[in-house]
Amino acid sequence: MRLLLDNPAYRDIPNPIMRPEDMAFVERLHIPARYLRTKDDGTTALRVMCAPDPKKPFDLEQLAQYALIYGRPGLENTWQGIAVDFAYRMHWRTLFGFALCRALCANSAGKTTLVRRFALVMARPGLYREAVAAYAAANPTRPFVAQYGADIEIRQVHVPDDQVRNFSDDDAVRVLIHNRIPPDWVDHAYTYGVVYLEQQFHQPTMSLDVFRDVDDERLQRLSVYGPPPAIPHWDGWREISEEDCYCLLFKRADEVAAQIDTEGVGLYYYIGMDPNVGPLWKRTPAHGTMPVVGSAINVALTDAVMVDATAAKGLATPSKTESAPQPPAINIAQPEAATTTEAGGSQATTGTG
């Protein structure tokens, strides 16, 4: 915030912005009309920030704007895994990983726990590629073919609330394979997984044992595979916009009045710092790697829906191969009477927008 207030364009802005007359001063002299709305009582206020459209989970620009105001580090509802620096820039790789995990999980009381499992899979280099290779070897006549294109078919995972804690890394990998998520997408989301881990160590909310084990395995895998590569067009930091600046000024005013110090509590990165290279990289393995065990829970996938996979900055994913064979039925549960779900077996609903 100091960077914003030091900008000559904002030099005469009251600091801090706390009183109603301070707000009115900023609105009258600084904020363009295109960013304002007229309320029922005739006064003006910043226009309402719309929540991301679930039919466009990869609209990373909209996701970033909303997360910056309502989900950045230090707030009560921090969106875990998104890297933010002290200039309020967000890293595209972490936004992409966050969007991918959220797109795969149906809304439920246990969604945060399910997202965590996907994040921990993404934090381990080569894990998903190994699983895809094993799947291809077991199904030589119907190989895994990744989805690409502006629209992709997603079946979200849903687990009964009383079984969410048993959802495992193996289950997360099965869902990724069932949805034919490209391995290079999971590689690209590696930074999201690292930042997710980093935030758990920075501000623990639960036992760190599981995160230590995952990070031990991450370090071991790095020595074998090296850091997973990024998709160049979706890499780097997102610069904040003019509208972001105005929203932050008002939001920070509310936080100051409530005595909330987001930068003092949350994990923020120094400007120019690579979020892949944080304190976690200074660790050495302290535990043996956690054994991978299957779960015996009722994992269900929703009916397929088409989602707009166009990512930020107007870039679409590579063209989809329409003639690609569908993968065979994948066993996504392991009780004695496990059921299977056939990919492409249900009618798709196309979302517009």
Side-chain angles (χ1 to χ4, degrees), residues 215-223 280-281 283-285:
D215 193 49
D216 287 348
E217 184 179 345
R218 180 183 71 87
L219 292 170
Q220 293 170 357
R221 288 177 169 277
L222 278 174
S223 67
L280 284 182
W281 280 53
R283 292 190 65 237
T284 54

Side-chain angles (χ1 to χ4, degrees), residues 108-111 113-114 157-167 297-301:
S108 66
K111 183 172 184 175
T113 302
L114 299 180
V157 62
H158 178 78
V159 178
D161 292 344
D162 61 346
Q163 299 181 26
V164 165
R165 293 177 64 86
N166 296 325
F167 186 78
I297 61 175
N298 182 20
V299 181
L301 296 181

Side-chain angles (χ1 to χ4, degrees), residues 166-228:
N166 296 325
F167 186 78
S168 70
D169 298 337
D170 278 356
D171 293 319
V173 168
R174 290 188 190 96
V175 173
L176 288 167
I177 291 177
H178 191 89
N179 280 287
R180 299 185 290 134
I181 300 300
D184 53 334
W185 283 22
V186 176
D187 285 346
H188 186 69
Y190 168 71
T191 306
Y192 164 73
V194 172
V195 173
Y196 189 99
L197 278 173
E198 189 85 75
Q199 290 174 337
Q200 309 314 308
F201 284 99
H202 178 77
Q203 192 175 10
T205 57
M206 57 182 288
S207 172
L208 292 179
D209 287 345
V210 64
F211 301 119
R212 290 193 185 98
D213 288 330
V214 169
D215 193 49
D216 287 348
E217 184 179 345
R218 180 183 71 87
L219 292 170
Q220 293 170 357
R221 288 177 169 277
L222 278 174
S223 67
V224 176
Y225 295 106

Side-chain angles (χ1 to χ4, degrees), residues 65-297:
Q65 282 192 311
Y66 195 83
L68 182 65
I69 304 304
Y70 300 109
R72 69 185 185 281
L75 295 177
E76 184 176 357
N77 186 33
T78 296
W79 288 13
Q80 299 288 333
I82 298 178
V84 185
D85 69 12
F86 283 105
Y88 292 100
R89 302 182 305 170
M90 292 183 167
H91 203 279
W92 288 116
R93 289 183 73 172
T94 64
L95 288 164
F96 181 86
F98 180 90
L100 178 57
C101 289
R102 301 285 291 187
L104 289 166
C105 299
N107 285 324
S108 66
K111 183 172 184 175
T112 299
T113 302
L114 299 180
V115 166
R116 179 186 302 128
R117 280 297 165 190
F118 286 104
L120 297 184
V121 167
M122 294 169 181
R124 284 171 278 185
L127 179 63
Y128 182 55
R129 288 187 179 273
E130 290 173 354
V132 169
Y135 172 83
N139 300 275
T141 60
R142 303 186 72 182
F144 172 87
V145 178
Q147 289 196 82
Y148 289 103
D151 295 297
I152 64 172
E153 187 180 79
I154 291 288
R155 281 185 170 85
Q156 295 182 316
V157 62
H158 178 78
V159 178
D161 292 344
D162 61 346
Q163 299 181 26
V164 165
R165 293 177 64 86
N166 296 325
F167 186 78
S168 70
D169 298 337
D170 278 356
D171 293 319
V173 168
R174 290 188 190 96
V175 173
L176 288 167
I177 291 177
H178 191 89
N179 280 287
R180 299 185 290 134
I181 300 300
D184 53 334
W185 283 22
V186 176
D187 285 346
H188 186 69
Y190 168 71
T191 306
Y192 164 73
V194 172
V195 173
Y196 189 99
L197 278 173
E198 189 85 75
Q199 290 174 337
Q200 309 314 308
F201 284 99
H202 178 77
Q203 192 175 10
T205 57
M206 57 182 288
S207 172
L208 292 179
D209 287 345
V210 64
F211 301 119
R212 290 193 185 98
D213 288 330
V214 169
D215 193 49
D216 287 348
E217 184 179 345
R218 180 183 71 87
L219 292 170
Q220 293 170 357
R221 288 177 169 277
L222 278 174
S223 67
V224 176
Y225 295 106
I231 298 173
H233 293 306
W234 301 345
D235 199 8
W237 293 90
R238 173 194 177 270
E239 301 290 341
I240 66 172
S241 66
E242 181 183 40
E243 184 178 13
D244 293 337
C245 291
Y246 295 128
C247 290
L248 277 170
L249 285 169
F250 280 76
K251 184 65 176 176
R252 288 292 288 126
D254 294 338
E255 292 165 6
V256 169
Q259 298 183 330
I260 298 173
D261 181 10
T262 56
E263 296 172 16
V265 175
L267 174 64
Y268 285 79
Y269 291 84
Y270 291 110
I271 297 170
M273 183 177 180
D274 182 354
N276 289 316
V277 185
L280 284 182
W281 280 53
K282 299 178 182 179
R283 292 190 65 237
T284 54
H287 303 268
T289 25
M290 201 165 53
V292 177
V293 294
S295 62
I297 61 175

Side-chain angles (χ1 to χ4, degrees), residues 334-351:
Q334 295 182 340
E336 292 183 3
T339 58
T340 60
T341 301
E342 182 74 27
S346 58
Q347 185 177 359
T349 301
T350 302

